[in-house]
Amino acid sequence: MATTTMAPFRCMMCGHEYQEKVVQGEDVERSCPKCRSNSIRHLKGTKK
């Protein structure tokens, strides 16, 4: 069974940061919910 977690992402076009569900081992093309760009980066070590 696949593991689903929430992960942080950032849009490289508009800078919008958001959380989205991620299924481990699944490669999904993502788009920014604010500007619909597909230039999305997964934030691995977030600094708060």
Side-chain angles (χ1 to χ4, degrees):
M1 180 170 223
T3 304
T4 303
T5 58
M6 293 297 285
F9 290 90
R10 176 185 292 136
C11 175
M12 302 308 285
M13 292 296 288
C14 71
H16 180 63
E17 291 188 15
Y18 63 98
Q19 297 277 323
E20 192 171 306
K21 287 184 182 177
V22 176
V23 178
Q24 190 174 26
E26 191 173 90
D27 190 21
V28 176
E29 186 171 331
R30 303 180 189 283
S31 61
C32 175
K34 187 174 180 182
C35 74
R36 298 295 177 206
S37 169
N38 65 348
S39 298
I40 303 299
R41 297 296 178 266
H42 182 236
L43 300 177
K44 295 188 179 176
T46 57
K47 298 174 186 169
K48 297 244 174 173

